[in-house]
Amino acid sequence: MSIDPLSATFAALADPTRRAILARLAKGETSVTELAQPFEMSLPAVTKHLKVLERAGLITRSREAQWRPCRLAPKPLKDANAWLEHYREFWEGSFDRLEDYLADLQGQKRPARARKVPTPKKPKRGAHT
Amino acid sequence: MSIDPLSATFAALADPTRRAILARLAKGETSVTELAQPFEMSLPAVTKHLKVLERAGLITRSREAQWRPCRLAPKPLKDANAWLEHYREFWEGSFDRLEDYLADLQGQKRPARARKVPTPKKPKRGAHT
DNA sequence: TGGTTATTTTCCCACCTGGTTAATTACGCC
DNA sequence: GGCGTAATTAACCAGGTGGGAAAATAACCA
């Protein structure tokens, strides 16, 4: 599995069953059986999902007699959000040089768009000193 | 692959290489070769990453002579953020009944925590009518 | 038409994932 | 100790993913 926590978090979130589990957990701590209730899958399958969530640090588990209740843990969600936040300016419409080539898109009939592609190493053939 | 877009998005974000590609793309559209530059991996490997990102709708590709420049697309990031936002109250410290059992955690020496586990089906044995 | 550059496709590999069923562990209770 | 409930582990399968090397495309240039 992924070494870095952020990858583990996103990987854990990349499954509808696990997201549903988190949604349910946001309403309060529950047992595995309770958690498995709304799904069509077997209990072991749910256990595996919980393990993924636990490895990602998204849930913590305690022991209460023979129950292992799960509780939502905030940190990974917070970290994931922090990463996304980093791009907020982007999806909200105002960017760095992004608006530059967005504007460019509008007027892509103009020959001015020639600078769009950085042309990384084209002139390497004879002038790369 | 995942049918639902959100899963596809999170799955795409669950890889450091792909996140690095997005970070680079946030600074401006570039070619595949340029994008592959900072990584140790082969060009085909990068192509595959781009395909994952494209399937998730995180990038769009155009054609500029023999280059297929990639551009960051905002929607999936926005949607992922919207999903996370849903939990913001949670990681920021004030929740529904969450604060209930968080407070409970603090005083877990008190026998009051007996209600912590919902005890889904325990009393079924003789008094479940 | 042939050459050069950019990128993708194909085929290969090892490994993780999501699911199954069957067996096993962990408690609490009587 | 033995039963019942909660949950996990084990073994297995299909399929996806991340990587590589080599070959194939695509588009421009001369």
Side-chain angles (χ1 to χ4, degrees):
Chain A
M1 46 246 44
S2 356
I3 319 106
D4 70 300
L6 202 47
S7 295
T9 301
F10 281 133
L13 295 181
D15 183 286
T17 303
R18 287 195 291 264
R19 288 199 303 277
I21 288 176
L22 292 183
R24 184 157 249 247
L25 248 23
K27 300 199 183 79
E29 191 177 69
T30 41
S31 67
V32 177
T33 324
E34 181 75 8
L35 231 28
Q37 209 79 326
F39 306 110
E40 297 261 305
M41 67 188 70
S42 66
L43 218 35
V46 174
T47 295
K48 286 193 188 177
H49 280 302
L50 292 177
K51 216 174 264 185
V52 174
L53 290 170
E54 192 177 17
R55 264 193 321 215
L58 279 160
I59 64 172
T60 60
R61 321 201 53 181
S62 39
R63 171 165 275 287
E64 192 82 26
Q66 60 267 67
W67 295 273
R68 278 83 154 180
C70 306
R71 193 175 350 121
L72 196 45
K75 178 148 190 314
L77 287 174
K78 188 173 186 170
D79 292 347
N81 184 72
W83 184 87
L84 272 177
E85 207 59 54
H86 202 255
Y87 290 83
R88 168 175 295 279
E89 40 162 350
F90 178 66
W91 73 68
E92 277 186 348
S94 71
F95 342 101
D96 273 30
R97 65 194 68 179
L98 241 8
E99 48 184 23
D100 170 290
Y101 58 75
L102 265 194
D104 193 74
L105 251 200
Q106 308 300 319
Q108 69 183 165
K109 293 98 204 170
R110 297 173 306 156
R113 97 211 175 295
R115 97 196 167 310
K116 243 177 59 177
V117 166
T119 329
K121 255 107 204 179
K122 227 174 11 176
K124 187 171 53 180
R125 271 218 329 283
H128 77 300
T129 344
Chain B
M1 44 246 45
S2 354
I3 320 105
D4 70 302
L6 201 47
S7 295
T9 301
F10 282 133
L13 294 181
D15 182 286
T17 303
R18 287 194 291 263
R19 288 199 304 277
I21 288 176
L22 292 184
R24 183 160 251 246
L25 248 23
K27 299 198 184 80
E29 193 177 66
T30 42
S31 66
V32 177
T33 324
E34 181 75 9
L35 232 27
Q37 207 79 326
F39 307 109
E40 296 262 304
M41 69 188 70
S42 66
L43 218 35
V46 173
T47 295
K48 287 193 188 177
H49 281 302
L50 293 178
K51 218 175 264 185
V52 173
L53 289 170
E54 192 176 19
R55 264 192 321 213
L58 279 160
I59 65 172
T60 60
R61 320 201 55 183
S62 39
R63 173 164 274 288
E64 191 83 27
Q66 60 267 68
W67 296 273
R68 278 85 156 178
C70 307
R71 192 175 352 123
L72 197 44
K75 178 146 192 312
L77 288 173
K78 189 174 188 172
D79 292 347
N81 184 71
W83 184 88
L84 272 177
E85 206 60 54
H86 202 256
Y87 291 83
R88 168 176 295 278
E89 39 161 353
F90 178 66
W91 73 69
E92 277 186 349
S94 70
F95 341 101
D96 274 30
R97 64 196 66 179
L98 243 8
E99 49 184 21
D100 170 291
Y101 58 75
L102 265 196
D104 193 76
L105 249 202
Q106 308 299 319
Q108 69 184 162
K109 291 96 205 171
R110 297 172 306 154
R113 92 204 179 304
R115 96 196 167 313
K116 243 176 58 176
V117 167
T119 330
K121 260 104 203 184
K122 225 179 7 184
K124 190 171 50 181
R125 269 217 331 286
H128 77 300
T129 338

